[in-house]
Amino acid sequence: MISDVRLCVIGLGYVGLPLAVEFGKKIPTTGFDLNAARVAELRQGVDSTLEVTENELKAAINLTYATKKEEIARCNTFIIAVPTPIDAAKRPDFKPLIGASTTVGQVLKNGDVVIYESTVYPGATEEVCVPILAKESGLVFNRDFFCGYSPERINPGDKQHRLPTIVKITSGSTPETAKFVNELYGAVITAGTFPASSIKVAEAAKVIENTQRDVNIALVNELALIFNRLGINTLEVLEAASTKWNFLPFRPGLVGGHCIGVDPYYLTYKAQEAGYHPEMILAGRRLNDQMGQYVAGQFVKLLLKKNCAVCQARALIMGLTFKEDCPDLRNTKVVDIIAELAEYGIQSDVYDPWVKADEAWHEYRVKTIAAPEKGRYQGVIVAVAHRQFRDLTAADIRAYCAENSVIFDVKNILPRDQVDGAL
């Protein structure tokens, strides 16, 4: 019964916090995070990810916070929403998921349900997480405790598609658990739910959502490379092609973030473990991963054409986050541009009004500036389409530059005839 649920949401990031807030409006909910500073800011009504407003936090009248496992021992339903990154070899890194499963396993009781939202390959919940829950609790899976899987579909920075308005896939380890999980999410998801036949199906559905987008963007990125060689405006081609009703309107660009640039590696890892080498998916990943170096290379060529001394040049990088209008730095590919420019001896000033300087330094050892200086730069790369940048004209941006300068517009936010290069 939903009325008997004492819920705990593990991980209060971009995924977990909106969940905790929505459930906290209706049922007793504890938001758990090991980051004491994160919990402290939420208790003060502040969400640094900007996904939830102060008023929304206040509306969650049944939501409390915790940082110690003893504080969640009374809960009987757990939703785990922690990151699932990749390691340096682009293999799944389950450390956050293992840690969260260990914590929950140590407080698990007879009849409890554990639901996972983290993106994984098909089978990971039952192969990686369930054994940890069983070992730590001493309980038997599907007799003493049960599991569900309901993949997250949060789009950071998107104020139109919010948690309640996105259809939720649900699943459970038994028919009864599946029904319970579906009813639980149905209490807060106004868009409705889609019950999957198994946990594996739900896991697979999530991982292919982002894999499909990754492959589609890779195709458009490759088209941009081709059209650049042919002297054709890629954006004009895409706009013309988009007049056909079934053309998919993807745009070229940098593919970062916690999902699209990461999740396909979970699927390819499992595919290779099963004896199949995925060709298309990995080709798309390789192509998308090289786009930062490509942008930097094109920028350097434009400098050379204007007889700029490359090794003495200073560039302004506008934007550091992985997407526009949000402070999310996870897996941003802008750092690839910065690193490649450094290989040419070009120093970069990074300006992003959405980013905290200490976070940029902690994550990437990138120093950000409070504001660009006028007349200082030999070139500008508009890397992220923040609204603050969209409000600028090409002349506004050119004012940051010295004479004989270069503007490269990664996001095509400026008229093509007013910039020197674009994707």
Side-chain angles (χ1 to χ4, degrees), residues 110-338:
N110 271 294
D112 286 359
V113 176
V114 184
I115 305 164
Y116 289 87
E117 290 225 356
S118 307
T119 305
V120 291
Y121 57 70
T125 298
E126 290 156 298
E127 294 168 10
V128 176
C129 303
V130 166
I132 296 171
L133 296 173
K135 177 184 176 183
E136 295 295 331
S137 66
L139 301 175
V140 177
F141 178 50
N142 279 344
R143 187 193 73 185
D144 305 324
F145 75 94
F146 307 88
C147 281
Y149 184 81
S150 182
E152 61 92 1
R153 284 176 159 176
I154 292 295
N155 186 25
D158 190 337
K159 301 307 178 185
Q160 180 180 357
H161 301 98
R162 307 296 301 277
L163 174 68
T165 63
I166 303 171
V167 174
K168 204 80 167 72
I169 297 172
T170 64
S171 64
S173 56
T174 67
E176 294 77 18
T177 307
K179 182 180 179 182
F180 166 77
V181 172
N182 194 61
E183 290 178 352
L184 179 67
Y185 281 102
V188 296
I189 305 297
T190 57
T193 60
F194 183 94
S197 62
S198 68
I199 288 176
K200 283 186 178 181
V201 168
E203 291 168 326
K206 168 57 183 178
V207 79
I208 71 165
E209 288 176 16
N210 293 324
T211 300
Q212 183 186 63
R213 287 183 58 79
D214 193 41
V215 171
N216 279 320
I217 296 171
L219 171 61
V220 177
N221 275 337
E222 187 161 64
L223 293 175
L225 303 185
I226 295 170
F227 294 146
N228 178 62
R229 287 177 176 266
L230 299 178
I232 302 173
N233 185 321
T234 302
L235 186 59
E236 288 183 3
V237 174
L238 295 175
E239 288 174 344
S242 293
T243 59
K244 188 163 188 272
W245 73 90
N246 59 353
F247 183 82
L248 300 178
F250 286 91
R251 296 289 178 90
L254 306 174
V255 183
H258 68 299
C259 286
I260 299 177
V262 173
D263 296 349
Y265 287 119
Y266 275 75
L267 183 58
T268 58
Y269 171 86
K270 189 62 176 178
Q272 290 170 327
E273 190 179 71
Y276 177 78
H277 181 74
E279 300 284 353
M280 182 180 292
I281 298 171
L282 287 176
R285 278 283 71 240
R286 286 191 296 270
L287 201 149
N288 284 340
D289 275 347
Q290 76 175 15
M291 292 306 292
Q293 289 87 347
Y294 173 78
V295 168
Q298 293 299 109
F299 181 73
V300 169
K301 288 179 181 179
L302 292 169
L303 289 175
L304 290 171
K305 287 180 180 179
K306 293 200 173 184
N307 295 316
C308 291
V310 171
C311 64
Q312 300 173 14
R314 179 176 289 274
L316 172 64
I317 310 296
M318 296 180 66
L320 182 60
T321 61
F322 90 89
K323 66 178 293 187
E324 66 274 8
D325 299 339
C326 81
D328 197 344
L329 287 173
R330 288 175 295 175
N331 194 35
T332 175
K333 294 303 178 181
V334 180
V335 295
D336 293 348
I337 299 176
I338 298 167

Side-chain angles (χ1 to χ4, degrees), residues 355-377:
V355 169
K356 293 181 179 178
D358 57 348
E359 186 177 352
W361 179 254
H362 177 266
E363 292 296 326
Y364 299 107
R365 291 297 187 264
V366 169
K367 290 183 178 180
T368 58
I369 60 173
E373 293 183 35
K374 291 188 175 181
R376 177 174 175 78
Y377 305 100

